[in-house]
Amino acid sequence: MRVRGAVRPPGDKSISHRALLLAALAHGRSELEGLLTGADVKSTARVLRQLGVDVSPVRAGGSVLVGGGRALARPAATLDCGNSGTTARLLLGALAGRPFAARLSGDASLRRRPMRRVTEPLRAMGAHIKEERGDSLPLTIRGGGLHDLTYTSPVASAQIKSALLLAGLVGGVAVTIREPYLSRDHTERLLVHLGLGLSYHDGAISLPRAAGSLPAFRLSVPGDASSAAFLVAAAVLAEGGELLIENVGVNPTRTGFLVVLGRMGARVERLNLRDEAGEPVADLLVRPAALRATEVAAAEVPTLVDEVPILAALASRATGETVFRAVGELRVKESNRLELVAANLRALGVAAEARGDDLFVRGTDRPPRGRVDTARDHRLAMAFAVLGTISGADVRLSERASVAISYPAFFADLRRIGEGGRGKGDAARHRH
Ligand code: S3P
């Protein structure tokens, strides 16, 4: 297909979760604009309502009002976090600071994901956590009476870091966190924007004891760089034209995929760079490019952790073999992305393999043809749908509804950016 025109990705998922949570903890009524309307953010809104917070409906086009000021209150029923790991883990952090019991659960995918990475340090702070099935949900947490924590995380994870910062904030204790590589820093930026004194020293981040209370705030959430990545990829793979992707968050802890794309031969221009509540935002101008293989280093992985599926899809169109080092974390995302990216690429005729924690993808110029198992994972569905836009491709997805987790309008946008609209530029077909 050829690409043309301008498109706006949906609101940033990570920032939307954090904005809702911090607004719930703030004093007074906050107003959030551009919040993602995907299912994951609705999960956060729903559990906050169960905890006694007033959250207006999360709807496209409107702003969301959050009535903070009251402390999170004991929920009457299990908190259903749906498919959202961020909801579950950040909420565990906030609840560690509150003196009542709350039970958390989620869908089948979320119930397979590890929780001890968060519950172990929260226990070390003094929270009581009862497991029902080992290292996973459902869990019951009873918080309150916390003490200070200094913690070195074995994985670079913004969910761990944010959970501990929220525990410190709600519990009124000091926390210092070190991670092997810097993960996304949206929580820190928002806390600093709201006037809290965080400090950095020797690569560690510290929240002081009794950090203070949060004022109510207004926030316009930037577009999600991870959602924009699928549009960028579609434009890079196109046969011609150019695409403007407007209002994209370009926080450097999130834009590793642009760095890697640059090495692969596709330069994406950043226009109209601006600041939105402490987050850099730009419009991205993308043109088609011929790609060459690259090596993605372990230190880069946290900056592109959600973009490995789409980068692997792009690598399948590059000359040479691309290697992604140390991507073992992909096994514990919404699906086992490490194995499924490799298996699905093979199903489309691409040589791809997961060896240990590394992923290898050999590029080809044969059109991808075959059936893809998305495992109901939104990012797998979108990555392989983009591969389906190549001319001569025949990519059949097992389902497409999962895109509603992070990008409800994905298929409509993908169709719209392709010249000629439906038919000519259409993406992967759905298997009925
Ligand atoms: C997220 C952090 C990342 C990312 C997820 C969202 C966040 O997870 O994969 O999609 O909003 O904090 P980890 O913290 O587990 O790396």
mmCIF file with all atom_site columns, all heavy atoms in Angstrom, residues 35-56:
data_model
loop_
_atom_site.group_PDB
_atom_site.id
_atom_site.type_symbol
_atom_site.label_atom_id
_atom_site.label_alt_id
_atom_site.label_comp_id
_atom_site.label_asym_id
_atom_site.label_entity_id
_atom_site.label_seq_id
_atom_site.pdbx_PDB_ins_code
_atom_site.Cartn_x
_atom_site.Cartn_y
_atom_site.Cartn_z
_atom_site.occupancy
_atom_site.B_iso_or_equiv
_atom_site.pdbx_formal_charge
_atom_site.auth_seq_id
_atom_site.auth_comp_id
_atom_site.auth_asym_id
_atom_site.auth_atom_id
_atom_site.pdbx_PDB_model_num
ATOM 1   N N   . LEU A 1 35 ? -7.326  10.746 27.583 1.00 0.00 ? 35 LEU A N   1
ATOM 2   C CA  . LEU A 1 35 ? -7.066  9.453  28.216 1.00 0.00 ? 35 LEU A CA  1
ATOM 3   C C   . LEU A 1 35 ? -7.358  8.337  27.209 1.00 0.00 ? 35 LEU A C   1
ATOM 4   O O   . LEU A 1 35 ? -8.293  8.443  26.420 1.00 0.00 ? 35 LEU A O   1
ATOM 5   C CB  . LEU A 1 35 ? -8.048  9.335  29.394 1.00 0.00 ? 35 LEU A CB  1
ATOM 6   C CG  . LEU A 1 35 ? -7.624  8.650  30.667 1.00 0.00 ? 35 LEU A CG  1
ATOM 7   C CD1 . LEU A 1 35 ? -6.458  9.343  31.320 1.00 0.00 ? 35 LEU A CD1 1
ATOM 8   C CD2 . LEU A 1 35 ? -8.802  8.627  31.640 1.00 0.00 ? 35 LEU A CD2 1
ATOM 9   N N   . LEU A 1 36 ? -6.574  7.285  27.237 1.00 0.00 ? 36 LEU A N   1
ATOM 10  C CA  . LEU A 1 36 ? -6.856  6.115  26.399 1.00 0.00 ? 36 LEU A CA  1
ATOM 11  C C   . LEU A 1 36 ? -8.230  5.554  26.785 1.00 0.00 ? 36 LEU A C   1
ATOM 12  O O   . LEU A 1 36 ? -8.541  5.439  27.978 1.00 0.00 ? 36 LEU A O   1
ATOM 13  C CB  . LEU A 1 36 ? -5.775  5.056  26.630 1.00 0.00 ? 36 LEU A CB  1
ATOM 14  C CG  . LEU A 1 36 ? -6.013  3.697  25.972 1.00 0.00 ? 36 LEU A CG  1
ATOM 15  C CD1 . LEU A 1 36 ? -6.011  3.810  24.448 1.00 0.00 ? 36 LEU A CD1 1
ATOM 16  C CD2 . LEU A 1 36 ? -4.949  2.703  26.420 1.00 0.00 ? 36 LEU A CD2 1
ATOM 17  N N   . THR A 1 37 ? -9.042  5.210  25.784 1.00 0.00 ? 37 THR A N   1
ATOM 18  C CA  . THR A 1 37 ? -10.349 4.609  26.084 1.00 0.00 ? 37 THR A CA  1
ATOM 19  C C   . THR A 1 37 ? -10.288 3.087  25.946 1.00 0.00 ? 37 THR A C   1
ATOM 20  O O   . THR A 1 37 ? -11.316 2.423  25.903 1.00 0.00 ? 37 THR A O   1
ATOM 21  C CB  . THR A 1 37 ? -11.446 5.165  25.152 1.00 0.00 ? 37 THR A CB  1
ATOM 22  O OG1 . THR A 1 37 ? -11.062 4.880  23.802 1.00 0.00 ? 37 THR A OG1 1
ATOM 23  C CG2 . THR A 1 37 ? -11.613 6.663  25.333 1.00 0.00 ? 37 THR A CG2 1
ATOM 24  N N   . GLY A 1 38 ? -9.097  2.529  25.859 1.00 0.00 ? 38 GLY A N   1
ATOM 25  C CA  . GLY A 1 38 ? -8.929  1.079  25.740 1.00 0.00 ? 38 GLY A CA  1
ATOM 26  C C   . GLY A 1 38 ? -9.352  0.359  27.018 1.00 0.00 ? 38 GLY A C   1
ATOM 27  O O   . GLY A 1 38 ? -9.491  0.961  28.088 1.00 0.00 ? 38 GLY A O   1
ATOM 28  N N   . ALA A 1 39 ? -9.531  -0.949 26.878 1.00 0.00 ? 39 ALA A N   1
ATOM 29  C CA  . ALA A 1 39 ? -10.062 -1.764 27.981 1.00 0.00 ? 39 ALA A CA  1
ATOM 30  C C   . ALA A 1 39 ? -9.168  -1.730 29.221 1.00 0.00 ? 39 ALA A C   1
ATOM 31  O O   . ALA A 1 39 ? -9.663  -1.782 30.349 1.00 0.00 ? 39 ALA A O   1
ATOM 32  C CB  . ALA A 1 39 ? -10.256 -3.204 27.507 1.00 0.00 ? 39 ALA A CB  1
ATOM 33  N N   . ASP A 1 40 ? -7.845  -1.656 29.042 1.00 0.00 ? 40 ASP A N   1
ATOM 34  C CA  . ASP A 1 40 ? -6.948  -1.664 30.206 1.00 0.00 ? 40 ASP A CA  1
ATOM 35  C C   . ASP A 1 40 ? -7.177  -0.444 31.095 1.00 0.00 ? 40 ASP A C   1
ATOM 36  O O   . ASP A 1 40 ? -7.195  -0.546 32.328 1.00 0.00 ? 40 ASP A O   1
ATOM 37  C CB  . ASP A 1 40 ? -5.476  -1.680 29.753 1.00 0.00 ? 40 ASP A CB  1
ATOM 38  C CG  . ASP A 1 40 ? -4.953  -3.103 29.572 1.00 0.00 ? 40 ASP A CG  1
ATOM 39  O OD1 . ASP A 1 40 ? -5.781  -4.042 29.573 1.00 0.00 ? 40 ASP A OD1 1
ATOM 40  O OD2 . ASP A 1 40 ? -3.725  -3.262 29.432 1.00 0.00 ? 40 ASP A OD2 1
ATOM 41  N N   . VAL A 1 41 ? -7.342  0.715  30.494 1.00 0.00 ? 41 VAL A N   1
ATOM 42  C CA  . VAL A 1 41 ? -7.547  1.939  31.279 1.00 0.00 ? 41 VAL A CA  1
ATOM 43  C C   . VAL A 1 41 ? -8.928  1.907  31.938 1.00 0.00 ? 41 VAL A C   1
ATOM 44  O O   . VAL A 1 41 ? -9.101  2.350  33.080 1.00 0.00 ? 41 VAL A O   1
ATOM 45  C CB  . VAL A 1 41 ? -7.331  3.178  30.383 1.00 0.00 ? 41 VAL A CB  1
ATOM 46  C CG1 . VAL A 1 41 ? -7.723  4.447  31.110 1.00 0.00 ? 41 VAL A CG1 1
ATOM 47  C CG2 . VAL A 1 41 ? -5.876  3.231  29.938 1.00 0.00 ? 41 VAL A CG2 1
ATOM 48  N N   . LYS A 1 42 ? -9.893  1.319  31.237 1.00 0.00 ? 42 LYS A N   1
ATOM 49  C CA  . LYS A 1 42 ? -11.217 1.172  31.854 1.00 0.00 ? 42 LYS A CA  1
ATOM 50  C C   . LYS A 1 42 ? -11.138 0.240  33.071 1.00 0.00 ? 42 LYS A C   1
ATOM 51  O O   . LYS A 1 42 ? -11.902 0.407  34.026 1.00 0.00 ? 42 LYS A O   1
ATOM 52  C CB  . LYS A 1 42 ? -12.221 0.647  30.830 1.00 0.00 ? 42 LYS A CB  1
ATOM 53  C CG  . LYS A 1 42 ? -12.594 1.719  29.816 1.00 0.00 ? 42 LYS A CG  1
ATOM 54  C CD  . LYS A 1 42 ? -13.624 1.251  28.826 1.00 0.00 ? 42 LYS A CD  1
ATOM 55  C CE  . LYS A 1 42 ? -14.067 2.426  27.956 1.00 0.00 ? 42 LYS A CE  1
ATOM 56  N NZ  . LYS A 1 42 ? -14.808 1.993  26.777 1.00 0.00 ? 42 LYS A NZ  1
ATOM 57  N N   . SER A 1 43 ? -10.214 -0.713 33.044 1.00 0.00 ? 43 SER A N   1
ATOM 58  C CA  . SER A 1 43 ? -10.029 -1.576 34.222 1.00 0.00 ? 43 SER A CA  1
ATOM 59  C C   . SER A 1 43 ? -9.552  -0.754 35.419 1.00 0.00 ? 43 SER A C   1
ATOM 60  O O   . SER A 1 43 ? -10.034 -0.938 36.540 1.00 0.00 ? 43 SER A O   1
ATOM 61  C CB  . SER A 1 43 ? -9.022  -2.697 33.928 1.00 0.00 ? 43 SER A CB  1
ATOM 62  O OG  . SER A 1 43 ? -9.586  -3.622 33.020 1.00 0.00 ? 43 SER A OG  1
ATOM 63  N N   . THR A 1 44 ? -8.596  0.141  35.172 1.00 0.00 ? 44 THR A N   1
ATOM 64  C CA  . THR A 1 44 ? -8.117  0.995  36.276 1.00 0.00 ? 44 THR A CA  1
ATOM 65  C C   . THR A 1 44 ? -9.251  1.883  36.797 1.00 0.00 ? 44 THR A C   1
ATOM 66  O O   . THR A 1 44 ? -9.451  2.011  38.011 1.00 0.00 ? 44 THR A O   1
ATOM 67  C CB  . THR A 1 44 ? -6.910  1.846  35.826 1.00 0.00 ? 44 THR A CB  1
ATOM 68  O OG1 . THR A 1 44 ? -5.796  0.969  35.630 1.00 0.00 ? 44 THR A OG1 1
ATOM 69  C CG2 . THR A 1 44 ? -6.527  2.890  36.853 1.00 0.00 ? 44 THR A CG2 1
ATOM 70  N N   . ALA A 1 45 ? -10.018 2.476  35.875 1.00 0.00 ? 45 ALA A N   1
ATOM 71  C CA  . ALA A 1 45 ? -11.134 3.341  36.299 1.00 0.00 ? 45 ALA A CA  1
ATOM 72  C C   . ALA A 1 45 ? -12.144 2.542  37.132 1.00 0.00 ? 45 ALA A C   1
ATOM 73  O O   . ALA A 1 45 ? -12.617 3.006  38.176 1.00 0.00 ? 45 ALA A O   1
ATOM 74  C CB  . ALA A 1 45 ? -11.815 3.948  35.072 1.00 0.00 ? 45 ALA A CB  1
ATOM 75  N N   . ARG A 1 46 ? -12.425 1.315  36.675 1.00 0.00 ? 46 ARG A N   1
ATOM 76  C CA  . ARG A 1 46 ? -13.424 0.483  37.367 1.00 0.00 ? 46 ARG A CA  1
ATOM 77  C C   . ARG A 1 46 ? -12.961 0.119  38.783 1.00 0.00 ? 46 ARG A C   1
ATOM 78  O O   . ARG A 1 46 ? -13.719 0.252  39.739 1.00 0.00 ? 46 ARG A O   1
ATOM 79  C CB  . ARG A 1 46 ? -13.649 -0.787 36.532 1.00 0.00 ? 46 ARG A CB  1
ATOM 80  C CG  . ARG A 1 46 ? -14.774 -1.678 36.994 1.00 0.00 ? 46 ARG A CG  1
ATOM 81  C CD  . ARG A 1 46 ? -14.933 -2.876 36.055 1.00 0.00 ? 46 ARG A CD  1
ATOM 82  N NE  . ARG A 1 46 ? -13.709 -3.668 35.976 1.00 0.00 ? 46 ARG A NE  1
ATOM 83  C CZ  . ARG A 1 46 ? -13.013 -3.878 34.869 1.00 0.00 ? 46 ARG A CZ  1
ATOM 84  N NH1 . ARG A 1 46 ? -13.401 -3.365 33.718 1.00 0.00 ? 46 ARG A NH1 1
ATOM 85  N NH2 . ARG A 1 46 ? -11.914 -4.615 34.891 1.00 0.00 ? 46 ARG A NH2 1
ATOM 86  N N   . VAL A 1 47 ? -11.711 -0.301 38.942 1.00 0.00 ? 47 VAL A N   1
ATOM 87  C CA  . VAL A 1 47 ? -11.277 -0.692 40.288 1.00 0.00 ? 47 VAL A CA  1
ATOM 88  C C   . VAL A 1 47 ? -11.180 0.530  41.206 1.00 0.00 ? 47 VAL A C   1
ATOM 89  O O   . VAL A 1 47 ? -11.475 0.431  42.392 1.00 0.00 ? 47 VAL A O   1
ATOM 90  C CB  . VAL A 1 47 ? -9.969  -1.518 40.308 1.00 0.00 ? 47 VAL A CB  1
ATOM 91  C CG1 . VAL A 1 47 ? -10.131 -2.821 39.547 1.00 0.00 ? 47 VAL A CG1 1
ATOM 92  C CG2 . VAL A 1 47 ? -8.798  -0.738 39.780 1.00 0.00 ? 47 VAL A CG2 1
ATOM 93  N N   . LEU A 1 48 ? -10.832 1.675  40.645 1.00 0.00 ? 48 LEU A N   1
ATOM 94  C CA  . LEU A 1 48 ? -10.805 2.882  41.492 1.00 0.00 ? 48 LEU A CA  1
ATOM 95  C C   . LEU A 1 48 ? -12.209 3.203  41.999 1.00 0.00 ? 48 LEU A C   1
ATOM 96  O O   . LEU A 1 48 ? -12.390 3.583  43.162 1.00 0.00 ? 48 LEU A O   1
ATOM 97  C CB  . LEU A 1 48 ? -10.211 4.071  40.724 1.00 0.00 ? 48 LEU A CB  1
ATOM 98  C CG  . LEU A 1 48 ? -8.693  4.017  40.528 1.00 0.00 ? 48 LEU A CG  1
ATOM 99  C CD1 . LEU A 1 48 ? -8.223  5.153  39.620 1.00 0.00 ? 48 LEU A CD1 1
ATOM 100 C CD2 . LEU A 1 48 ? -7.946  4.076  41.880 1.00 0.00 ? 48 LEU A CD2 1
ATOM 101 N N   . ARG A 1 49 ? -13.222 3.022  41.135 1.00 0.00 ? 49 ARG A N   1
ATOM 102 C CA  . ARG A 1 49 ? -14.607 3.243  41.594 1.00 0.00 ? 49 ARG A CA  1
ATOM 103 C C   . ARG A 1 49 ? -14.945 2.269  42.713 1.00 0.00 ? 49 ARG A C   1
ATOM 104 O O   . ARG A 1 49 ? -15.587 2.647  43.698 1.00 0.00 ? 49 ARG A O   1
ATOM 105 C CB  . ARG A 1 49 ? -15.589 3.064  40.429 1.00 0.00 ? 49 ARG A CB  1
ATOM 106 C CG  . ARG A 1 49 ? -15.518 4.190  39.425 1.00 0.00 ? 49 ARG A CG  1
ATOM 107 C CD  . ARG A 1 49 ? -16.584 4.036  38.341 1.00 0.00 ? 49 ARG A CD  1
ATOM 108 N NE  . ARG A 1 49 ? -16.224 4.850  37.197 1.00 0.00 ? 49 ARG A NE  1
ATOM 109 C CZ  . ARG A 1 49 ? -15.839 4.378  36.004 1.00 0.00 ? 49 ARG A CZ  1
ATOM 110 N NH1 . ARG A 1 49 ? -15.816 3.079  35.774 1.00 0.00 ? 49 ARG A NH1 1
ATOM 111 N NH2 . ARG A 1 49 ? -15.499 5.207  35.046 1.00 0.00 ? 49 ARG A NH2 1
ATOM 112 N N   . GLN A 1 50 ? -14.488 1.019  42.598 1.00 0.00 ? 50 GLN A N   1
ATOM 113 C CA  . GLN A 1 50 ? -14.742 0.035  43.662 1.00 0.00 ? 50 GLN A CA  1
ATOM 114 C C   . GLN A 1 50 ? -14.076 0.451  44.971 1.00 0.00 ? 50 GLN A C   1
ATOM 115 O O   . GLN A 1 50 ? -14.476 -0.007 46.037 1.00 0.00 ? 50 GLN A O   1
ATOM 116 C CB  . GLN A 1 50 ? -14.217 -1.351 43.256 1.00 0.00 ? 50 GLN A CB  1
ATOM 117 C CG  . GLN A 1 50 ? -15.084 -2.076 42.247 1.00 0.00 ? 50 GLN A CG  1
ATOM 118 C CD  . GLN A 1 50 ? -14.530 -3.479 41.993 1.00 0.00 ? 50 GLN A CD  1
ATOM 119 O OE1 . GLN A 1 50 ? -13.713 -3.675 41.097 1.00 0.00 ? 50 GLN A OE1 1
ATOM 120 N NE2 . GLN A 1 50 ? -14.942 -4.451 42.799 1.00 0.00 ? 50 GLN A NE2 1
ATOM 121 N N   . LEU A 1 51 ? -13.041 1.284  44.864 1.00 0.00 ? 51 LEU A N   1
ATOM 122 C CA  . LEU A 1 51 ? -12.328 1.757  46.057 1.00 0.00 ? 51 LEU A CA  1
ATOM 123 C C   . LEU A 1 51 ? -12.870 3.112  46.526 1.00 0.00 ? 51 LEU A C   1
ATOM 124 O O   . LEU A 1 51 ? -12.230 3.806  47.307 1.00 0.00 ? 51 LEU A O   1
ATOM 125 C CB  . LEU A 1 51 ? -10.822 1.858  45.753 1.00 0.00 ? 51 LEU A CB  1
ATOM 126 C CG  . LEU A 1 51 ? -10.149 0.497  45.530 1.00 0.00 ? 51 LEU A CG  1
ATOM 127 C CD1 . LEU A 1 51 ? -8.809  0.657  44.824 1.00 0.00 ? 51 LEU A CD1 1
ATOM 128 C CD2 . LEU A 1 51 ? -9.948  -0.235 46.862 1.00 0.00 ? 51 LEU A CD2 1
ATOM 129 N N   . GLY A 1 52 ? -14.042 3.476  46.011 1.00 0.00 ? 52 GLY A N   1
ATOM 130 C CA  . GLY A 1 52 ? -14.726 4.666  46.510 1.00 0.00 ? 52 GLY A CA  1
ATOM 131 C C   . GLY A 1 52 ? -14.370 5.962  45.811 1.00 0.00 ? 52 GLY A C   1
ATOM 132 O O   . GLY A 1 52 ? -14.758 7.038  46.261 1.00 0.00 ? 52 GLY A O   1
ATOM 133 N N   . VAL A 1 53 ? -13.613 5.887  44.709 1.00 0.00 ? 53 VAL A N   1
ATOM 134 C CA  . VAL A 1 53 ? -13.218 7.106  43.993 1.00 0.00 ? 53 VAL A CA  1
ATOM 135 C C   . VAL A 1 53 ? -14.268 7.410  42.921 1.00 0.00 ? 53 VAL A C   1
ATOM 136 O O   . VAL A 1 53 ? -14.728 6.513  42.225 1.00 0.00 ? 53 VAL A O   1
ATOM 137 C CB  . VAL A 1 53 ? -11.832 6.918  43.317 1.00 0.00 ? 53 VAL A CB  1
ATOM 138 C CG1 . VAL A 1 53 ? -11.387 8.204  42.646 1.00 0.00 ? 53 VAL A CG1 1
ATOM 139 C CG2 . VAL A 1 53 ? -10.799 6.442  44.338 1.00 0.00 ? 53 VAL A CG2 1
ATOM 140 N N   . ASP A 1 54 ? -14.620 8.679  42.807 1.00 0.00 ? 54 ASP A N   1
ATOM 141 C CA  . ASP A 1 54 ? -15.543 9.126  41.760 1.00 0.00 ? 54 ASP A CA  1
ATOM 142 C C   . ASP A 1 54 ? -14.775 9.261  40.458 1.00 0.00 ? 54 ASP A C   1
ATOM 143 O O   . ASP A 1 54 ? -13.914 10.137 40.347 1.00 0.00 ? 54 ASP A O   1
ATOM 144 C CB  . ASP A 1 54 ? -16.027 10.541 42.120 1.00 0.00 ? 54 ASP A CB  1
ATOM 145 C CG  . ASP A 1 54 ? -17.452 10.533 42.585 1.00 0.00 ? 54 ASP A CG  1
ATOM 146 O OD1 . ASP A 1 54 ? -18.128 9.523  42.352 1.00 0.00 ? 54 ASP A OD1 1
ATOM 147 O OD2 . ASP A 1 54 ? -17.848 11.551 43.185 1.00 0.00 ? 54 ASP A OD2 1
ATOM 148 N N   . VAL A 1 55 ? -15.069 8.437  39.486 1.00 0.00 ? 55 VAL A N   1
ATOM 149 C CA  . VAL A 1 55 ? -14.402 8.551  38.174 1.00 0.00 ? 55 VAL A CA  1
ATOM 150 C C   . VAL A 1 55 ? -15.506 8.592  37.126 1.00 0.00 ? 55 VAL A C   1
ATOM 151 O O   . VAL A 1 55 ? -16.302 7.654  37.041 1.00 0.00 ? 55 VAL A O   1
ATOM 152 C CB  . VAL A 1 55 ? -13.459 7.358  37.889 1.00 0.00 ? 55 VAL A CB  1
ATOM 153 C CG1 . VAL A 1 55 ? -12.704 7.570  36.577 1.00 0.00 ? 55 VAL A CG1 1
ATOM 154 C CG2 . VAL A 1 55 ? -12.476 7.134  39.033 1.00 0.00 ? 55 VAL A CG2 1
ATOM 155 N N   . SER A 1 56 ? -15.558 9.671  36.352 1.00 0.00 ? 56 SER A N   1
ATOM 156 C CA  . SER A 1 56 ? -16.611 9.778  35.332 1.00 0.00 ? 56 SER A CA  1
ATOM 157 C C   . SER A 1 56 ? -16.297 8.789  34.206 1.00 0.00 ? 56 SER A C   1
ATOM 158 O O   . SER A 1 56 ? -15.177 8.294  34.099 1.00 0.00 ? 56 SER A O   1
ATOM 159 C CB  . SER A 1 56 ? -16.718 11.221 34.838 1.00 0.00 ? 56 SER A CB  1
ATOM 160 O OG  . SER A 1 56 ? -15.593 11.548 34.047 1.00 0.00 ? 56 SER A OG  1
#
